[in-house]
Amino acid sequence: MALWGQRARSALRLWGPGGGRRCISNSVSASGIFGSRGSSEKKFSLQDVAELIRTRACQRVVVMVGAGISTPSGIPDFRSPGSGLYSNLLQYDIPYPEAIFELEYFFHNPKPFFTLAKQLYPGNYQPNITHYFFRLLHDKGLLLRLYTQNIDGLERVSGIPVSKLVEAHGTFASATCTICRRSFPEKDLWADVMMDRVPCCPVCTGIVKPDIVFFGEPLPERFLLHLLDFPMADLLLILGTSLEVEPFASLSEAVRASVPRLLINRDLVGPFAWRPRSRDVIQLGDVVQNVERLVELLGWTEELQDLVQRETGKLYV
Ligand code: APR
Ligand code: ZN
């Protein structure tokens, strides 16, 4: 029990700005990793992962995602050099990038956060095929849970039920008064946000902050579901994240050693770089291209196209 108690404490541990591990450059090739291991062990491949899903040998798939799955939808991630949000905050006049998600700075000047919130306003962006692939996993009864660091809400928009989601860094779907702690639905504050006004509580005039988890704030209680999900998982998919922020990043090592882990990411990150496992599969490169490849190996391409067309009315080619 001690271990789970420890994990519960770490799961609710406050995490520091930009804490956790750094991205590892993609110069470390996956074959370099597999080569360094006893070659007797069969190398796991994307085909093997597809086979496990297609034959339903794996039926409790846990997914972990970050901002990299939403860049194809037009939302910048945080740390990609040049294009990431943290490289483009000059117009906000903040002391350092992560300050936009820090309470102390928020109370000093909430404007930069609400300017960003206006950009991320739900409805401005649409899910891409990565989100709809997860929806298909759910529709087929294979998705145990999707853990997301993203606050864009695109997992919900793609039709994945909230019961299957853990929005580890919060959501814009609700908001809380920072003084009297009254809760408000998102619709109550968006008029202010869209008019560049800081939303204030009608009761105590405190600032009303969307339920986005700021650095130093505890994660939502639902995050504790990982204590059940990860020991049960029989396949872990990790897509579009630098695995730099704790305690989310550590979940990547919370599945049993025998459980295959698939990383789809532009960079080699986290334990895939410095503590890989024999059943890791690493697909470096564009998330959409790699998801399309996996979907093709699964034989789900047509189903996915139909789903995207039904959901968006647009033909996805
Ligand atoms: N295809 C593949 N990988 C991509 C793509 C893409 N189209 N776009 C971005 N990536 C990769 C980047 O190379 C990077 O490794 O996705 C990763 C995104 O990493 P971050 O920008 O650090 O985003 P994320 O991991 O979600 O950040 C975690 O940090 O500041 C906090 O709260 C914030 O939730 C966020 C957390
Ligand atoms: Zn109030």
Side-chain angles (χ1 to χ4, degrees), residues 92-147:
Y92 294 121
D93 182 28
I94 57 175
Y96 50 87
E98 283 88 350
I100 203 161
F101 290 123
E102 284 189 353
L103 281 176
E104 194 182 339
Y105 185 79
F106 177 79
F107 289 124
H108 163 70
N109 177 10
K111 275 254 174 237
F113 170 76
F114 282 111
T115 308
L116 172 70
K118 182 177 173 184
Q119 254 189 2
L120 288 178
Y121 179 50
N124 281 355
Y125 301 96
Q126 293 306 319
N128 61 67
I129 75 140
T130 309
H131 300 92
Y132 286 114
F133 164 58
F134 302 143
R135 162 72 189 277
L136 211 44
L137 274 177
H138 164 66
D139 289 352
K140 290 175 178 284
L142 296 167
L143 179 67
L144 177 55
R145 201 91 58 194
L146 193 160
Y147 287 72

Short mmCIF file of all heavy atoms in Angstrom, two decimals, residues 92-147:
data_model
loop_
_atom_site.label_atom_id
_atom_site.label_comp_id
_atom_site.label_asym_id
_atom_site.label_seq_id
_atom_site.Cartn_x
_atom_site.Cartn_y
_atom_site.Cartn_z
N TYR A 92 3.03 39.66 -24.73
CA TYR A 92 2.29 39.69 -23.46
C TYR A 92 3.07 40.40 -22.37
O TYR A 92 2.59 40.57 -21.28
CB TYR A 92 1.98 38.25 -23.01
CG TYR A 92 1.02 37.51 -23.91
CD1 TYR A 92 1.39 36.32 -24.52
CD2 TYR A 92 -0.25 38.02 -24.18
CE1 TYR A 92 0.51 35.64 -25.35
CE2 TYR A 92 -1.14 37.35 -25.00
CZ TYR A 92 -0.75 36.15 -25.60
OH TYR A 92 -1.61 35.47 -26.41
N ASP A 93 4.33 40.75 -22.66
CA ASP A 93 5.13 41.49 -21.67
C ASP A 93 5.16 40.76 -20.32
O ASP A 93 4.77 41.31 -19.28
CB ASP A 93 4.52 42.92 -21.50
CG ASP A 93 5.36 43.73 -20.49
OD1 ASP A 93 6.57 43.43 -20.41
OD2 ASP A 93 4.77 44.58 -19.77
N ILE A 94 5.51 39.45 -20.36
CA ILE A 94 5.59 38.73 -19.08
C ILE A 94 7.07 38.43 -18.78
O ILE A 94 7.88 38.35 -19.69
CB ILE A 94 4.77 37.42 -19.10
CG1 ILE A 94 5.20 36.49 -20.24
CG2 ILE A 94 3.29 37.70 -19.20
CD1 ILE A 94 4.47 35.16 -20.19
N PRO A 95 7.40 38.25 -17.49
CA PRO A 95 8.81 38.11 -17.11
C PRO A 95 9.48 36.87 -17.69
O PRO A 95 10.63 36.91 -18.12
CB PRO A 95 8.77 38.07 -15.58
CG PRO A 95 7.37 37.70 -15.23
CD PRO A 95 6.49 38.18 -16.34
N TYR A 96 8.77 35.75 -17.73
CA TYR A 96 9.31 34.53 -18.34
C TYR A 96 8.11 33.69 -18.76
O TYR A 96 7.01 33.85 -18.22
CB TYR A 96 10.23 33.77 -17.35
CG TYR A 96 9.61 33.54 -15.99
CD1 TYR A 96 8.82 32.42 -15.75
CD2 TYR A 96 9.75 34.49 -14.98
CE1 TYR A 96 8.21 32.23 -14.51
CE2 TYR A 96 9.13 34.31 -13.75
CZ TYR A 96 8.36 33.18 -13.51
OH TYR A 96 7.75 33.01 -12.30
N PRO A 97 8.25 32.80 -19.77
CA PRO A 97 7.09 32.14 -20.39
C PRO A 97 6.10 31.50 -19.42
O PRO A 97 4.91 31.74 -19.49
CB PRO A 97 7.73 31.08 -21.31
CG PRO A 97 9.09 31.59 -21.60
CD PRO A 97 9.52 32.34 -20.38
N GLU A 98 6.62 30.66 -18.50
CA GLU A 98 5.69 29.89 -17.67
C GLU A 98 4.86 30.79 -16.76
O GLU A 98 3.86 30.37 -16.21
CB GLU A 98 6.45 28.87 -16.80
CG GLU A 98 6.90 27.62 -17.55
CD GLU A 98 8.26 27.78 -18.23
OE1 GLU A 98 8.75 28.93 -18.25
OE2 GLU A 98 8.81 26.79 -18.72
N ALA A 99 5.27 32.09 -16.62
CA ALA A 99 4.53 32.99 -15.72
C ALA A 99 3.07 33.09 -16.13
O ALA A 99 2.19 33.33 -15.31
CB ALA A 99 5.17 34.38 -15.73
N ILE A 100 2.80 32.85 -17.43
CA ILE A 100 1.40 32.98 -17.89
C ILE A 100 0.50 31.95 -17.22
O ILE A 100 -0.71 32.11 -17.17
CB ILE A 100 1.36 32.84 -19.45
CG1 ILE A 100 0.09 33.51 -19.99
CG2 ILE A 100 1.47 31.39 -19.91
CD1 ILE A 100 0.15 33.84 -21.45
N PHE A 101 1.12 30.88 -16.67
CA PHE A 101 0.35 29.87 -15.96
C PHE A 101 0.72 29.83 -14.48
O PHE A 101 0.71 28.77 -13.84
CB PHE A 101 0.61 28.48 -16.56
CG PHE A 101 0.02 28.29 -17.94
CD1 PHE A 101 0.83 27.94 -18.99
CD2 PHE A 101 -1.34 28.47 -18.18
CE1 PHE A 101 0.31 27.76 -20.28
CE2 PHE A 101 -1.87 28.30 -19.46
CZ PHE A 101 -1.04 27.94 -20.51
N GLU A 102 1.14 30.98 -13.93
CA GLU A 102 1.48 31.00 -12.50
C GLU A 102 0.55 31.93 -11.75
O GLU A 102 0.27 33.05 -12.21
CB GLU A 102 2.94 31.45 -12.32
CG GLU A 102 3.91 30.33 -12.68
CD GLU A 102 5.34 30.66 -12.31
OE1 GLU A 102 5.62 31.80 -11.91
OE2 GLU A 102 6.18 29.76 -12.43
N LEU A 103 0.05 31.45 -10.60
CA LEU A 103 -0.95 32.21 -9.84
C LEU A 103 -0.42 33.58 -9.43
O LEU A 103 -1.12 34.59 -9.55
CB LEU A 103 -1.37 31.43 -8.60
CG LEU A 103 -2.39 30.30 -8.85
CD1 LEU A 103 -2.64 29.53 -7.57
CD2 LEU A 103 -3.71 30.85 -9.41
N GLU A 104 0.82 33.60 -8.93
CA GLU A 104 1.35 34.87 -8.41
C GLU A 104 1.31 35.95 -9.49
O GLU A 104 0.82 37.06 -9.28
CB GLU A 104 2.79 34.65 -7.92
CG GLU A 104 3.32 35.78 -7.04
CD GLU A 104 4.78 35.54 -6.62
OE1 GLU A 104 5.21 34.35 -6.65
OE2 GLU A 104 5.47 36.51 -6.29
N TYR A 105 1.77 35.57 -10.69
CA TYR A 105 1.76 36.56 -11.78
C TYR A 105 0.31 36.85 -12.21
O TYR A 105 -0.06 37.99 -12.48
CB TYR A 105 2.58 36.06 -12.98
CG TYR A 105 2.67 37.12 -14.05
CD1 TYR A 105 3.56 38.18 -13.93
CD2 TYR A 105 1.79 37.10 -15.13
CE1 TYR A 105 3.61 39.18 -14.87
CE2 TYR A 105 1.82 38.10 -16.08
CZ TYR A 105 2.72 39.15 -15.95
OH TYR A 105 2.75 40.15 -16.87
N PHE A 106 -0.52 35.80 -12.21
CA PHE A 106 -1.93 35.97 -12.62
C PHE A 106 -2.60 37.05 -11.78
O PHE A 106 -3.32 37.91 -12.28
CB PHE A 106 -2.66 34.63 -12.48
CG PHE A 106 -4.13 34.67 -12.81
CD1 PHE A 106 -4.57 34.66 -14.13
CD2 PHE A 106 -5.08 34.72 -11.80
CE1 PHE A 106 -5.94 34.68 -14.44
CE2 PHE A 106 -6.44 34.76 -12.09
CZ PHE A 106 -6.87 34.73 -13.42
N PHE A 107 -2.37 37.00 -10.45
CA PHE A 107 -3.02 38.00 -9.58
C PHE A 107 -2.39 39.38 -9.79
O PHE A 107 -3.03 40.41 -9.61
CB PHE A 107 -2.94 37.57 -8.11
CG PHE A 107 -3.83 36.41 -7.80
CD1 PHE A 107 -3.32 35.24 -7.23
CD2 PHE A 107 -5.19 36.44 -8.12
CE1 PHE A 107 -4.16 34.16 -6.96
CE2 PHE A 107 -6.03 35.37 -7.85
CZ PHE A 107 -5.52 34.23 -7.28
N HIS A 108 -1.12 39.38 -10.21
CA HIS A 108 -0.45 40.66 -10.49
C HIS A 108 -1.00 41.24 -11.79
O HIS A 108 -1.30 42.43 -11.89
CB HIS A 108 1.06 40.40 -10.60
CG HIS A 108 1.84 41.49 -11.28
ND1 HIS A 108 2.03 42.72 -10.69
CD2 HIS A 108 2.42 41.56 -12.52
CE1 HIS A 108 2.73 43.49 -11.52
NE2 HIS A 108 2.97 42.81 -12.65
N ASN A 109 -1.16 40.36 -12.78
CA ASN A 109 -1.65 40.84 -14.10
C ASN A 109 -2.33 39.69 -14.84
O ASN A 109 -1.67 38.87 -15.51
CB ASN A 109 -0.48 41.37 -14.93
CG ASN A 109 -0.96 41.79 -16.32
OD1 ASN A 109 -2.16 41.85 -16.57
ND2 ASN A 109 0.00 42.02 -17.23
N PRO A 110 -3.66 39.55 -14.72
CA PRO A 110 -4.38 38.42 -15.33
C PRO A 110 -4.55 38.56 -16.86
O PRO A 110 -4.93 37.62 -17.53
CB PRO A 110 -5.75 38.45 -14.65
CG PRO A 110 -5.94 39.86 -14.21
CD PRO A 110 -4.58 40.44 -13.96
N LYS A 111 -4.24 39.74 -17.39
CA LYS A 111 -4.51 40.01 -18.81
C LYS A 111 -3.82 39.04 -19.77
O LYS A 111 -4.48 38.50 -20.66
CB LYS A 111 -4.08 41.46 -19.13
CG LYS A 111 -5.14 42.49 -18.81
CD LYS A 111 -5.75 42.97 -20.12
CE LYS A 111 -6.93 43.90 -19.96
NZ LYS A 111 -8.11 43.35 -20.64
N PRO A 112 -2.51 38.78 -19.61
CA PRO A 112 -1.86 37.87 -20.57
C PRO A 112 -2.55 36.51 -20.63
O PRO A 112 -2.82 35.99 -21.71
CB PRO A 112 -0.42 37.74 -20.04
CG PRO A 112 -0.19 39.00 -19.29
CD PRO A 112 -1.51 39.36 -18.69
N PHE A 113 -2.95 35.97 -19.47
CA PHE A 113 -3.62 34.66 -19.48
C PHE A 113 -4.94 34.75 -20.23
O PHE A 113 -5.25 33.90 -21.08
CB PHE A 113 -3.87 34.14 -18.06
CG PHE A 113 -4.75 32.92 -18.06
CD1 PHE A 113 -4.24 31.67 -18.43
CD2 PHE A 113 -6.10 33.02 -17.75
CE1 PHE A 113 -5.08 30.55 -18.48
CE2 PHE A 113 -6.93 31.89 -17.80
CZ PHE A 113 -6.42 30.67 -18.16
N PHE A 114 -5.73 35.80 -19.95
CA PHE A 114 -7.04 35.88 -20.61
C PHE A 114 -6.92 36.19 -22.10
O PHE A 114 -7.77 35.80 -22.91
CB PHE A 114 -7.95 36.91 -19.90
CG PHE A 114 -8.54 36.36 -18.62
CD1 PHE A 114 -8.15 36.85 -17.38
CD2 PHE A 114 -9.46 35.32 -18.66
CE1 PHE A 114 -8.67 36.31 -16.21
CE2 PHE A 114 -10.00 34.78 -17.49
CZ PHE A 114 -9.60 35.27 -16.26
N THR A 115 -5.80 36.83 -22.47
CA THR A 115 -5.57 37.06 -23.91
C THR A 115 -5.30 35.71 -24.59
O THR A 115 -5.83 35.40 -25.66
CB THR A 115 -4.35 38.00 -24.12
OG1 THR A 115 -4.53 39.16 -23.32
CG2 THR A 115 -4.17 38.36 -25.58
N LEU A 116 -4.52 34.87 -23.90
CA LEU A 116 -4.25 33.51 -24.42
C LEU A 116 -5.54 32.71 -24.43
O LEU A 116 -5.86 32.03 -25.41
CB LEU A 116 -3.20 32.82 -23.55
CG LEU A 116 -2.96 31.35 -23.85
CD1 LEU A 116 -2.26 31.19 -25.20
CD2 LEU A 116 -2.16 30.67 -22.75
N ALA A 117 -6.33 32.84 -23.35
CA ALA A 117 -7.60 32.08 -23.25
C ALA A 117 -8.50 32.43 -24.43
O ALA A 117 -9.13 31.55 -25.03
CB ALA A 117 -8.29 32.41 -21.93
N LYS A 118 -8.50 33.70 -24.80
CA LYS A 118 -9.35 34.14 -25.93
C LYS A 118 -8.91 33.42 -27.22
O LYS A 118 -9.72 32.97 -28.02
CB LYS A 118 -9.21 35.65 -26.09
CG LYS A 118 -10.08 36.24 -27.18
CD LYS A 118 -9.92 37.77 -27.20
CE LYS A 118 -10.64 38.39 -28.38
NZ LYS A 118 -10.41 39.86 -28.45
N GLN A 119 -7.58 33.27 -27.36
CA GLN A 119 -7.04 32.56 -28.55
C GLN A 119 -7.48 31.10 -28.57
O GLN A 119 -7.79 30.54 -29.60
CB GLN A 119 -5.51 32.57 -28.45
CG GLN A 119 -4.81 33.50 -29.38
CD GLN A 119 -3.29 33.21 -29.31
OE1 GLN A 119 -2.83 32.33 -28.60
NE2 GLN A 119 -2.55 33.99 -30.04
N LEU A 120 -7.53 30.51 -27.36
CA LEU A 120 -7.81 29.06 -27.27
C LEU A 120 -9.31 28.81 -27.16
O LEU A 120 -9.74 27.68 -26.98
CB LEU A 120 -7.11 28.46 -26.05
CG LEU A 120 -5.59 28.32 -26.14
CD1 LEU A 120 -5.04 27.74 -24.85
CD2 LEU A 120 -5.21 27.41 -27.31
N TYR A 121 -10.13 29.89 -27.29
CA TYR A 121 -11.56 29.77 -27.07
C TYR A 121 -12.14 28.51 -27.73
O TYR A 121 -11.96 28.33 -28.94
CB TYR A 121 -12.25 31.01 -27.64
CG TYR A 121 -13.75 30.99 -27.48
CD1 TYR A 121 -14.33 30.73 -26.25
CD2 TYR A 121 -14.59 31.22 -28.57
CE1 TYR A 121 -15.70 30.70 -26.12
CE2 TYR A 121 -15.96 31.20 -28.43
CZ TYR A 121 -16.51 30.93 -27.19
OH TYR A 121 -17.87 30.89 -27.07
N PRO A 122 -12.78 27.62 -26.94
CA PRO A 122 -13.34 26.40 -27.53
C PRO A 122 -14.23 26.77 -28.71
O PRO A 122 -15.00 27.72 -28.63
CB PRO A 122 -14.16 25.79 -26.39
CG PRO A 122 -13.55 26.34 -25.13
CD PRO A 122 -13.05 27.70 -25.48
N GLY A 123 -14.05 26.06 -29.83
CA GLY A 123 -14.86 26.36 -31.01
C GLY A 123 -14.02 27.01 -32.09
O GLY A 123 -14.34 26.99 -33.27
N ASN A 124 -12.87 27.60 -31.67
CA ASN A 124 -12.00 28.21 -32.68
C ASN A 124 -11.24 27.16 -33.47
O ASN A 124 -10.74 27.42 -34.55
CB ASN A 124 -10.96 29.11 -31.99
CG ASN A 124 -11.56 30.46 -31.60
OD1 ASN A 124 -12.70 30.71 -31.95
ND2 ASN A 124 -10.80 31.27 -30.90
N TYR A 125 -11.11 25.97 -32.89
CA TYR A 125 -10.28 24.93 -33.52
C TYR A 125 -11.06 23.62 -33.56
O TYR A 125 -11.97 23.40 -32.78
CB TYR A 125 -8.97 24.72 -32.73
CG TYR A 125 -8.14 25.97 -32.61
CD1 TYR A 125 -8.22 26.78 -31.48
CD2 TYR A 125 -7.28 26.37 -33.64
CE1 TYR A 125 -7.48 27.96 -31.38
CE2 TYR A 125 -6.53 27.53 -33.54
CZ TYR A 125 -6.63 28.33 -32.41
OH TYR A 125 -5.90 29.47 -32.31
N GLN A 126 -10.66 22.76 -34.49
CA GLN A 126 -11.33 21.47 -34.63
C GLN A 126 -10.35 20.33 -34.35
O GLN A 126 -9.15 20.48 -34.62
CB GLN A 126 -11.84 21.32 -36.08
CG GLN A 126 -12.97 22.31 -36.42
CD GLN A 126 -14.13 22.24 -35.41
OE1 GLN A 126 -14.53 21.15 -34.99
NE2 GLN A 126 -14.61 23.39 -34.98
N PRO A 127 -10.87 19.20 -33.87
CA PRO A 127 -9.99 18.03 -33.68
C PRO A 127 -9.37 17.60 -35.01
O PRO A 127 -9.92 17.91 -36.08
CB PRO A 127 -10.95 16.95 -33.15
CG PRO A 127 -12.18 17.68 -32.69
CD PRO A 127 -12.27 18.91 -33.51
N ASN A 128 -8.24 16.91 -34.94
CA ASN A 128 -7.67 16.34 -36.18
C ASN A 128 -7.75 14.83 -36.10
O ASN A 128 -8.30 14.27 -35.13
CB ASN A 128 -6.23 16.87 -36.39
CG ASN A 128 -5.30 16.48 -35.25
OD1 ASN A 128 -5.00 15.30 -35.08
ND2 ASN A 128 -4.89 17.44 -34.44
N ILE A 129 -7.15 14.13 -37.06
CA ILE A 129 -7.39 12.67 -37.10
C ILE A 129 -6.80 11.97 -35.88
O ILE A 129 -7.23 10.88 -35.52
CB ILE A 129 -6.85 12.03 -38.39
CG1 ILE A 129 -5.35 11.89 -38.40
CG2 ILE A 129 -7.36 12.70 -39.61
CD1 ILE A 129 -4.96 10.56 -39.03
N THR A 130 -5.85 12.61 -35.23
CA THR A 130 -5.29 11.99 -34.02
C THR A 130 -6.38 11.86 -32.96
O THR A 130 -6.57 10.80 -32.36
CB THR A 130 -4.13 12.86 -33.48
OG1 THR A 130 -3.22 13.13 -34.55
CG2 THR A 130 -3.41 12.16 -32.34
N HIS A 131 -7.16 12.94 -32.77
CA HIS A 131 -8.26 12.89 -31.80
C HIS A 131 -9.30 11.85 -32.21
O HIS A 131 -9.83 11.10 -31.39
CB HIS A 131 -8.94 14.27 -31.69
CG HIS A 131 -8.02 15.38 -31.25
ND1 HIS A 131 -7.33 16.18 -32.16
CD2 HIS A 131 -7.67 15.82 -30.02
CE1 HIS A 131 -6.60 17.06 -31.49
NE2 HIS A 131 -6.78 16.88 -30.21
N TYR A 132 -9.56 11.81 -33.53
CA TYR A 132 -10.60 10.87 -33.99
C TYR A 132 -10.11 9.41 -33.94
O TYR A 132 -10.91 8.48 -33.77
CB TYR A 132 -11.08 11.24 -35.41
CG TYR A 132 -11.94 12.48 -35.39
CD1 TYR A 132 -11.53 13.67 -36.01
CD2 TYR A 132 -13.16 12.49 -34.72
CE1 TYR A 132 -12.31 14.81 -35.96
CE2 TYR A 132 -13.96 13.63 -34.67
CZ TYR A 132 -13.52 14.79 -35.28
OH TYR A 132 -14.29 15.93 -35.22
N PHE A 133 -8.80 9.22 -34.02
CA PHE A 133 -8.27 7.86 -33.83
C PHE A 133 -8.57 7.39 -32.40
O PHE A 133 -9.03 6.26 -32.17
CB PHE A 133 -6.76 7.84 -34.11
CG PHE A 133 -6.06 6.62 -33.59
CD1 PHE A 133 -6.43 5.34 -34.01
CD2 PHE A 133 -5.02 6.74 -32.67
CE1 PHE A 133 -5.79 4.20 -33.52
CE2 PHE A 133 -4.37 5.61 -32.17
CZ PHE A 133 -4.76 4.34 -32.58
N PHE A 134 -8.38 8.30 -31.44
CA PHE A 134 -8.68 7.92 -30.04
C PHE A 134 -10.19 7.65 -29.89
O PHE A 134 -10.60 6.74 -29.17
CB PHE A 134 -8.26 9.04 -29.07
CG PHE A 134 -6.81 9.43 -29.15
CD1 PHE A 134 -6.43 10.75 -29.00
CD2 PHE A 134 -5.82 8.48 -29.39
CE1 PHE A 134 -5.08 11.13 -29.05
CE2 PHE A 134 -4.48 8.85 -29.46
CZ PHE A 134 -4.11 10.17 -29.29
N ARG A 135 -11.00 8.45 -30.56
CA ARG A 135 -12.46 8.25 -30.54
C ARG A 135 -12.80 6.86 -31.08
O ARG A 135 -13.63 6.14 -30.50
CB ARG A 135 -13.13 9.36 -31.35
CG ARG A 135 -14.53 9.11 -31.79
CD ARG A 135 -15.57 9.17 -30.68
NE ARG A 135 -16.85 8.70 -31.22
CZ ARG A 135 -17.69 9.47 -31.92
NH1 ARG A 135 -17.39 10.77 -32.14
NH2 ARG A 135 -18.83 8.99 -32.40
N LEU A 136 -12.09 6.45 -32.15
CA LEU A 136 -12.33 5.13 -32.73
C LEU A 136 -11.91 4.03 -31.75
O LEU A 136 -12.62 3.03 -31.56
CB LEU A 136 -11.54 5.00 -34.04
CG LEU A 136 -12.09 4.13 -35.17
CD1 LEU A 136 -13.56 4.36 -35.37
CD2 LEU A 136 -11.31 4.39 -36.47
N LEU A 137 -10.81 4.25 -31.06
CA LEU A 137 -10.40 3.28 -30.03
C LEU A 137 -11.52 3.15 -28.99
O LEU A 137 -11.88 2.04 -28.58
CB LEU A 137 -9.13 3.77 -29.31
CG LEU A 137 -7.76 3.45 -29.91
CD1 LEU A 137 -6.66 4.09 -29.05
CD2 LEU A 137 -7.51 1.94 -30.03
N HIS A 138 -12.10 4.30 -28.62
CA HIS A 138 -13.20 4.25 -27.64
C HIS A 138 -14.42 3.54 -28.21
O HIS A 138 -14.99 2.64 -27.57
CB HIS A 138 -13.60 5.67 -27.21
CG HIS A 138 -14.94 5.72 -26.53
ND1 HIS A 138 -15.17 5.12 -25.30
CD2 HIS A 138 -16.14 6.22 -26.94
CE1 HIS A 138 -16.44 5.27 -24.96
NE2 HIS A 138 -17.05 5.92 -25.94
N ASP A 139 -14.78 3.90 -29.43
CA ASP A 139 -15.98 3.30 -30.05
C ASP A 139 -15.83 1.78 -30.14
O ASP A 139 -16.83 1.05 -30.11
CB ASP A 139 -16.20 3.87 -31.47
CG ASP A 139 -16.68 5.33 -31.43
OD1 ASP A 139 -16.97 5.81 -30.30
OD2 ASP A 139 -16.73 5.99 -32.48
N LYS A 140 -14.59 1.31 -30.24
CA LYS A 140 -14.35 -0.14 -30.37
C LYS A 140 -14.15 -0.80 -29.01
O LYS A 140 -13.77 -1.96 -28.91
CB LYS A 140 -13.14 -0.38 -31.27
CG LYS A 140 -13.38 -0.04 -32.76
CD LYS A 140 -12.11 -0.19 -33.56
CE LYS A 140 -12.36 0.11 -35.04
NZ LYS A 140 -13.04 -1.00 -35.75
N GLY A 141 -14.37 0.00 -27.93
CA GLY A 141 -14.29 -0.58 -26.59
C GLY A 141 -12.87 -0.90 -26.16
O GLY A 141 -12.66 -1.74 -25.28
N LEU A 142 -11.88 -0.22 -26.76
CA LEU A 142 -10.48 -0.53 -26.46
C LEU A 142 -9.79 0.53 -25.59
O LEU A 142 -8.70 0.30 -25.08
CB LEU A 142 -9.69 -0.67 -27.78
CG LEU A 142 -10.11 -1.83 -28.69
CD1 LEU A 142 -9.49 -1.66 -30.07
CD2 LEU A 142 -9.71 -3.17 -28.08
N LEU A 143 -10.44 1.71 -25.45
CA LEU A 143 -9.80 2.82 -24.72
C LEU A 143 -10.15 2.73 -23.24
O LEU A 143 -11.32 2.90 -22.84
CB LEU A 143 -10.28 4.17 -25.28
CG LEU A 143 -9.71 5.42 -24.59
CD1 LEU A 143 -8.18 5.54 -24.85
CD2 LEU A 143 -10.42 6.69 -25.07
N LEU A 144 -9.16 2.46 -22.43
CA LEU A 144 -9.39 2.43 -20.97
C LEU A 144 -9.49 3.87 -20.48
O LEU A 144 -10.43 4.24 -19.79
CB LEU A 144 -8.24 1.70 -20.26
CG LEU A 144 -8.28 1.63 -18.73
CD1 LEU A 144 -9.58 1.04 -18.23
CD2 LEU A 144 -7.08 0.87 -18.18
N ARG A 145 -8.54 4.74 -20.88
CA ARG A 145 -8.60 6.15 -20.46
C ARG A 145 -7.61 6.95 -21.30
O ARG A 145 -6.58 6.42 -21.70
CB ARG A 145 -8.21 6.31 -18.99
CG ARG A 145 -8.72 7.60 -18.34
CD ARG A 145 -10.06 7.43 -17.69
NE ARG A 145 -10.01 6.38 -16.67
CZ ARG A 145 -11.08 5.82 -16.12
NH1 ARG A 145 -12.28 6.21 -16.48
NH2 ARG A 145 -10.97 4.86 -15.22
N LEU A 146 -7.99 8.22 -21.52
CA LEU A 146 -7.09 9.14 -22.23
C LEU A 146 -6.67 10.23 -21.25
O LEU A 146 -7.53 10.97 -20.75
CB LEU A 146 -7.79 9.74 -23.44
CG LEU A 146 -6.89 10.47 -24.46
CD1 LEU A 146 -7.58 10.60 -25.81
CD2 LEU A 146 -6.47 11.84 -24.00
N TYR A 147 -5.39 10.29 -20.96
CA TYR A 147 -4.83 11.33 -20.08
C TYR A 147 -4.28 12.44 -20.96
O TYR A 147 -3.38 12.20 -21.76
CB TYR A 147 -3.72 10.74 -19.20
CG TYR A 147 -4.25 9.84 -18.10
CD1 TYR A 147 -4.77 8.59 -18.39
CD2 TYR A 147 -4.29 10.27 -16.78
CE1 TYR A 147 -5.29 7.77 -17.39
CE2 TYR A 147 -4.80 9.46 -15.76
CZ TYR A 147 -5.31 8.21 -16.09
OH TYR A 147 -5.84 7.42 -15.09
#
